[in-house]
Amino acid sequence: MTNYELRFEKRTIQPGALRLFTWMIFFVFSGLGAFAQVSATIDSTTIEIGNEIRYKMQVEADSTQIVVFPEGQTFTPLEVIESQKIDTSRNGKRFNLTKEYALTQFDSGHYTIPRQKVVIGDKVFFTDSLKVEVKDVLVDTTKQKMYEIKPLVDVDAKFAFNWKKWLLWIGVSLLILGVIAFFIFRRKKRKANKEDELPPYERAILALQKIDESHLLEKDSHKEYYSQLSDTARKYIDEEVYDHAMESTTDELITRLDEEIRSGNLNLDKTTIEELKNVLKTADMAKFAKSKPDIITARADRNVIEQVIHKTKSAIPEPTEEELLADEEYRRTVAEKKRRKKIIFGSIGAIAVVTITLLIFILVKGYDVVKDTLLGHPTKELAETEWITSAYGSPPVTVATPRVLIRNAYQMTEEQKQILKGNETFVYGSLAGNFYVVVTTVQYKQPTEIKLNKVVEGVVGKFESMGAKNISVKDEEYETLGGAKGVKVFGNLEIVNPVTKKKQKNSYLMLNFAENGGFQQITLVYDVEDRYAKDVAERIINSVELRNTK
C-alpha cells in the first residue's frame, strides 16, 4: 500500500519569522489540543477496466471537532461506486476516523485521483492527488472461442424509410406549388386590376364582349346570361349616374332615372328608359321566375343594353373642374392603397418562401448547421478558411493550421542556457477558448537521451499549472506519415472560462517527439461541445511532419 501524507504549500519565510511562527503554532495547538492528521491510501495503483480501487481516508482529530468527509462525484475522472460508513476508534482523548470509497473506471488509460477536501472543525485539509493506471482486459484466445464475423445482410429497400428524404421532396414540392400558385394568383389579380383601372364606359363594353364569348345561351344558361347582362347595365349606371343602382329594385332604378332626367342631370329620352326597364324586367323574370326567353329575344336585349350604355355616356354632362380634381385625388388614394397592399402581400410571400426554405434545410441538415452557416461559428470558420502550412522552431516541425501560430517570447534562465541551444514556442488561441494550438521545440547543445514516457507523467502537472482540473490521461505510440515515431497523449480536462465564469470541459491531444537531436511537442485543446473542433484537430494532427535537418 502506498501512503500519501497531507502536503502544505511552500512559503518563503525569514528565519526569525519562521521561529516566531513555529512557537505560535506550538502554543496554539498545545493549548487547544486541536492538532489533526489526514492521510489517504489506495490498495492498488493498477487495475483492469471495471475493477475497483479501495480508497481509504484516515483522520486523527480531537473529540470536540466535527469532521466532514467528501461526498458525491468528487473523484472524477474515476467513478464512486460505493461509499462506506465512517469507522470510528478511540485513542485516549483523540478519535481515529476511517472512511472508505470504492472507485472504478471503464476506459483504459492513466488517471489522476484529484485531491480530496476534508473539513475538520473550521479548518480545511487536502489529501495528495494519486496516480492510477487502468489497463485493458486481455483475452486468452486459446481458452475463449472466437467466432467469425457475420456477413453483411442486404436490407430490402421497401422497408428502408428515409424520412429526411421524404420530407425534402414534400417540402420542395410544396415550395414549387406555392411559387406557381403565387404567380398565377398575381397574374389574375393584375389582369383584374387592369380592368378596374379602365373608365366605366370601356369596362361596361368589355363586360358585354365577355358575355358574348361565354356562349351562355348555347349552354341554356339563361339565368346566368341575364344576371350578367343586368349587372353590367346596373354597374355602369351605379358608377356614372346613381350610386345605389346595384342594390335598387328595377322600379326604384327607373324612378331615379326619371328624376335625373327631370332635374336636367341626365339627357335621356323616354324611349331609352322604357327599353331599359323592359330588359331589366325580363332579367328579373329569368333570375327569379326561371323564365327562358328565346335566343333572338335574348340577343336583342343584349343590344338594347349596349345602346343604353352608349346613350347614357352621351347624355351625361361633362364634369366640372372641381369634380375632375376630386376624381383625380380619389384615384391617387386608391392607387396608393393598392400599392401598399402589393408591398404587404409581396413581403408576406417572400417571408413565406424564406421560412419554408429554412425549414427544409433545418430538417435535412439540422438546426445547428443552418444556424452556424447563417450566424457564423468561430471554429467552423477555422475549418473552412484557407489553411497555412509552415515550419516552426528548430528542429523544425511542419504543420498545417487555419491561422499562423504566433511566436511566444520566452527568456531562458542561465541554467537552461548552459544545456539548451534553443527553446521556442508558437501559440494560437487560449486554453479556455474554443481552440488552442501550441508547438514547442527544444534543441540541446549536447546529445541528450529523451525519455518520452516521462513526458506523460508531467502532463497533469503542466495543465494543473494552467488552472485545469479533473484531468484524465491516456497515451499510445504514434507515427507520422513520414515515419517519425513518438508518443500521443490525450484525454479530457476541466477549466473555468474567464469570461463566462463557468466550467468548460475540454479535450486535449498532445504529440511528443525526440527527433534530430531535440524535443518537439504539438498540443491541441478544444471544447468538447464544439462540433467542428474535433475535425479541425484531426486535420492539424494528420499534417504534422518533422523535417530531417541532417
Side-chain angles (χ1 to χ4, degrees):
M1 266 193 199
T2 48
N3 183 50
Y4 296 84
E5 294 297 330
L6 178 67
R7 294 187 299 179
F8 291 94
E9 295 184 359
K10 293 181 179 180
R11 303 281 183 178
T12 302
I13 305 174
Q14 297 299 325
L18 178 61
R19 287 194 297 272
L20 177 62
F21 177 76
T22 304
W23 281 106
M24 287 175 64
I25 295 296
F26 174 78
F27 280 114
V28 168
F29 283 114
S30 297
L32 299 178
F35 178 72
Q37 288 185 337
V38 178
S39 63
T41 59
I42 52 177
D43 63 347
S44 176
T45 58
T46 304
I47 61 168
E48 291 182 342
I49 290 176
N51 288 350
E52 67 178 37
I53 293 174
R54 306 302 296 186
Y55 184 97
K56 183 186 292 185
M57 298 181 66
Q58 293 180 323
V59 175
E60 183 181 346
D62 189 86
S63 59
T64 60
Q65 293 176 313
I66 297 175
V67 179
V68 179
F69 288 94
E71 291 295 340
Q73 296 297 335
T74 61
F75 295 88
T76 306
L78 272 70
E79 297 180 22
V80 179
I81 57 176
E82 184 184 3
S83 176
Q84 294 187 352
K85 293 182 178 180
I86 301 171
D87 184 18
T88 306
S89 62
R90 189 160 186 166
N91 183 12
K93 294 182 179 181
R94 305 182 64 77
F95 281 100
N96 292 324
L97 308 177
T98 304
K99 173 82 170 175
E100 276 197 22
Y101 302 85
L103 313 177
T104 190
Q105 174 56 251
F106 297 96
D107 199 0
S108 61
H110 293 272
Y111 298 92
T112 300
I113 302 174
R115 299 188 305 164
Q116 298 300 309
K117 181 174 72 172
V118 180
V119 180
I120 303 176
D122 58 352
K123 298 185 181 297
V124 177
F125 297 88
F126 287 93
T127 65
D128 279 342
S129 59
L130 307 177
K131 297 181 183 296
V132 296
E133 181 183 4
V134 180
K135 294 183 176 180
D136 288 318
V137 178
L138 298 177
V139 179
D140 188 351
T141 56
T142 61
K143 296 180 180 179
Q144 176 65 44
K145 186 177 178 181
M146 306 299 288
Y147 297 92
E148 293 291 335
I149 298 174
K150 292 184 178 181
L152 296 175
V153 178
D154 293 331
V155 180
D156 195 343
K158 66 181 181 180
F159 295 109
F161 179 76
N162 190 335
W163 64 272
K164 287 188 176 180
K165 186 176 180 181
W166 276 98
L167 284 175
L168 174 62
W169 282 109
I170 292 170
V172 171
S173 301
L174 288 174
L175 181 62
I176 293 171
L177 289 174
V179 171
I180 293 172
F182 172 75
F183 281 110
I184 291 173
F185 174 76
R186 190 174 70 169
R187 185 181 176 186
K188 286 184 176 180
K189 193 171 182 182
R190 282 182 176 179
K191 190 176 180 181
N193 289 339
K194 263 188 180 179
E195 292 179 2
D196 291 340
E197 290 172 2
L198 293 172
Y201 171 76
E202 294 179 11
R203 199 159 57 245
I205 298 301
L206 182 62
L208 291 175
Q209 290 175 3
K210 286 184 177 180
I211 292 172
D212 295 338
E213 294 169 359
S214 65
H215 304 291
L216 291 171
L217 292 176
E218 288 81 349
K219 297 175 184 177
D220 201 25
S221 299
H222 287 74
K223 180 180 179 181
E224 183 65 23
Y225 178 83
Y226 272 99
S227 179
Q228 292 185 16
L229 200 63
S230 173
D231 288 347
T232 301
R234 286 174 177 274
K235 191 170 184 180
Y236 178 72
I237 295 170
D238 185 270
E239 292 178 340
E240 293 288 68
V241 181
Y242 174 50
D243 59 0
H244 286 68
M246 291 299 294
E247 60 266 24
S248 299
T249 63
T250 299
D251 291 335
E252 289 173 346
L253 178 59
I254 298 301
T255 301
R256 181 63 186 223
L257 291 175
D258 288 336
E259 291 176 0
E260 293 290 332
I261 292 170
R262 287 195 298 270
S263 64
N265 294 328
L266 187 64
N267 189 16
L268 271 178
D269 56 81
K270 292 286 185 181
T271 304
T272 303
I273 297 296
E274 194 63 30
E275 288 175 349
L276 174 62
K277 179 180 179 181
N278 292 334
V279 174
L280 294 179
K281 289 286 186 182
T282 303
D284 290 340
M285 293 295 291
K287 288 191 291 183
F288 303 113
K290 297 183 180 181
S291 173
K292 288 186 178 182
D294 57 80
I295 294 178
I296 296 173
T297 303
R299 285 177 177 168
D301 289 342
R302 182 259 180 219
N303 293 332
V304 169
I305 294 299
E306 186 175 3
Q307 290 301 316
V308 169
I309 292 171
H310 287 316
K311 290 177 181 180
T312 304
K313 182 179 183 296
S314 303
I316 297 172
E318 290 295 325
T320 62
E321 187 176 351
E322 290 80 6
E323 290 174 337
L324 288 173
L325 289 173
D327 187 54
E328 182 64 26
E329 182 64 27
Y330 172 75
R331 287 185 180 182
R332 277 202 301 267
T333 303
V334 171
E336 181 64 23
K337 286 182 178 179
K338 287 180 179 179
R339 189 181 70 83
R340 288 176 183 173
K341 276 188 177 181
K342 284 182 181 179
I343 293 173
I344 291 170
F345 283 112
S347 301
I348 292 172
I351 292 170
V353 171
V354 172
T355 303
I356 293 171
T357 305
L358 280 175
L359 288 173
I360 292 170
F361 276 108
I362 288 171
L363 289 171
V364 176
K365 299 290 185 180
Y367 171 76
D368 292 329
V369 174
V370 175
K371 183 192 73 172
D372 294 340
T373 302
L374 294 177
L375 303 180
H377 189 283
T379 315
K380 186 174 186 292
E381 292 173 6
L382 289 179
E384 295 175 352
T385 190
E386 185 176 352
W387 284 42
I388 301 124
T389 301
S390 185
Y392 297 94
S394 179
V397 176
T398 303
V399 61
T401 55
R403 298 282 189 272
V404 176
L405 306 185
I406 306 301
R407 183 188 296 271
N408 190 13
Y410 176 77
Q411 296 295 330
M412 290 190 296
T413 63
E414 292 299 325
E415 184 180 354
Q416 289 174 331
K417 288 179 181 179
Q418 298 296 323
I419 303 172
L420 303 180
K421 189 176 180 180
N423 186 359
E424 297 177 284
T425 303
F426 303 85
V427 182
Y428 168 77
S430 64
L431 188 64
N434 291 76
F435 210 86
Y436 180 50
V437 184
V438 182
V439 175
T440 301
T441 61
V442 177
Q443 191 174 19
Y444 297 92
K445 289 184 176 180
Q446 301 294 330
T448 304
E449 182 183 357
I450 302 170
K451 295 182 180 180
L452 294 179
N453 59 337
K454 295 293 183 183
V455 177
V456 178
E457 298 175 4
V459 169
V460 173
K462 178 180 178 180
F463 283 130
E464 282 183 343
S465 67
M466 300 172 73
K469 295 181 179 179
N470 298 330
I471 306 164
S472 63
V473 182
K474 302 179 187 178
D475 65 271
E476 61 183 29
E477 293 181 355
Y478 184 82
E479 184 175 350
T480 67
L481 295 175
K485 295 182 179 180
V487 174
K488 181 170 79 171
V489 185
F490 56 99
N492 295 323
L493 57 86
E494 287 183 358
I495 192 163
V496 177
N497 190 303
V499 179
T500 61
K501 304 300 180 183
K502 294 181 180 178
K503 282 186 180 179
Q504 177 176 304
K505 188 173 182 181
N506 288 348
S507 285
Y508 73 88
L509 197 155
M510 185 185 294
L511 297 184
N512 304 278
F513 300 97
E515 295 284 329
N516 303 322
F519 171 72
Q520 302 86 22
Q521 186 179 75
I522 301 93
T523 305
L524 291 92
V525 184
Y526 55 89
D527 187 353
V528 172
E529 297 180 359
D530 191 329
R531 49 192 166 276
Y532 305 103
K534 186 177 180 181
D535 293 336
V536 175
E538 288 179 356
R539 185 175 171 183
I540 293 174
I541 290 299
N542 293 334
S543 72
V544 171
E545 197 51 73
L546 284 81
R547 292 182 179 178
N548 192 343
T549 57
K550 294 180 181 180

